[in-house]
Amino acid sequence: HEDESKSNSPSLVTKVPLTTAKSKGSGWMDAETKKMLWKCKSKGKMLKNYSVVTLGEDKDTDPIAAIITVKSSMNSITNIICKTEPTFDDHEPLSEEQLKKAGITDADTKLYPFSKLSTKRQLSTAHSTYYLITGKDEEKELYVGDKLSALGYMAIFKDAKGTVVGKAATHGVQFSPTLEAAIGVDLLAIVCMGLSMASNDSAGALAGAGVI
């Protein structure tokens, strides 16, 4: 990865030419090593929910990120991934009003918007774009994803230069996707994109894939 500060966590950036990840229980694992990469747990109440991401097997470790839906309609959704520490100068955390809107009742919580993904779906296809938040009202496109019209689920992910960096697909009738990613790819970013192209309900998509 040319700059791991662009990733949700350096440990979730692929280090080998081909990494295969699979959903397992409440998280995702490296299919070759069987090592749990992260777990995700839904929080909040109906219509006001968010998800917290922790590394490895232990759900009780400090979360590295929170995934929040900020806008949704029948065929589109916008999520932000927040970190617990600022990532650029004068980085403002979410306001108390924004926290409440997400279902976070602890006003002392500090969450800093780190990245954003915007997804639009058609009848059998979808398109998602993942942005790094680099400053106030400043974003940098990192990845784009396209869900293809196919039986089951199939998607292709590219970097901002148009190079294919990942592919995701389901096998059989159950929604249990497998992701293949090239070196230097933020796995959490790609998985969030892929799942948002499968369902308009971010938390529901994560749960449906065995992430929650």
Side-chain angles (χ1 to χ4, degrees):
H1 202 282
E2 63 182 35
D3 185 353
E4 290 189 339
S5 67
K6 296 178 182 178
S7 67
N8 291 284
S9 171
S11 67
L12 299 182
V13 176
T14 53
K15 307 297 194 298
V16 295
L18 179 64
T19 297
T20 302
K22 293 183 177 181
S23 61
K24 180 185 177 184
S26 61
W28 280 71
M29 71 173 185
D30 185 310
E32 182 177 351
T33 65
K34 308 302 181 184
K35 177 185 176 181
M36 209 69 189
L37 298 170
W38 73 82
K39 290 192 174 184
C40 193
K41 183 175 179 59
S42 181
K43 301 277 189 176
K45 299 179 181 179
M46 185 66 66
L47 301 181
K48 284 189 176 181
N49 54 20
Y50 62 100
S51 300
V52 294
V53 180
T54 54
L55 294 177
E57 292 278 358
D58 190 358
K59 281 187 176 181
D60 295 326
T61 58
D62 291 335
I64 61 160
I67 305 169
I68 297 172
T69 298
V70 295
K71 184 169 62 174
S72 66
S73 65
M74 185 175 295
N75 296 313
S76 66
I77 190 166
T78 300
N79 295 330
I80 55 172
I81 300 178
C82 297
K83 286 189 171 186
T84 56
E85 299 289 340
T87 54
F88 55 82
D89 292 339
D90 300 321
H91 196 171
E92 293 289 334
L94 295 180
S95 66
E96 184 176 350
E97 181 180 350
Q98 289 172 313
L99 291 173
K100 284 184 178 180
K101 188 175 180 180
I104 302 171
T105 56
D106 185 356
D108 293 329
T109 300
K110 298 295 184 184
L111 291 176
Y112 298 85
F114 172 74
S115 57
K116 181 183 84 173
L117 60 105
S118 179
T119 302
K120 293 184 178 181
R121 294 195 319 277
Q122 304 297 325
L123 186 61
S124 59
T125 62
H127 181 80
S128 183
T129 307
Y130 180 91
Y131 304 90
L132 182 72
I133 297 173
T134 57
K136 186 176 180 179
D137 301 321
E138 295 179 5
E139 301 170 347
K140 179 181 180 181
E141 181 181 302
L142 288 188
Y143 303 113
V144 294
D146 285 287
K147 177 182 176 290
L148 308 180
S149 179
L151 292 174
Y153 180 92
M154 184 177 296
I156 294 177
F157 304 91
K158 300 178 182 179
D159 62 18
K161 298 177 181 179
T163 302
V164 174
V165 295
K167 298 178 181 179
T170 55
H171 304 283
V173 296
Q174 194 171 20
F175 187 75
S176 182
T178 297
L179 171 67
E180 294 181 343
I183 192 170
V185 173
D186 185 339
L187 291 175
L188 181 60
I190 297 297
V191 165
C192 287
M193 292 172 67
L195 296 176
S196 73
M197 291 191 290
S199 169
N200 206 41
D201 177 0
S202 176
L206 290 165
V211 180
I212 295 173

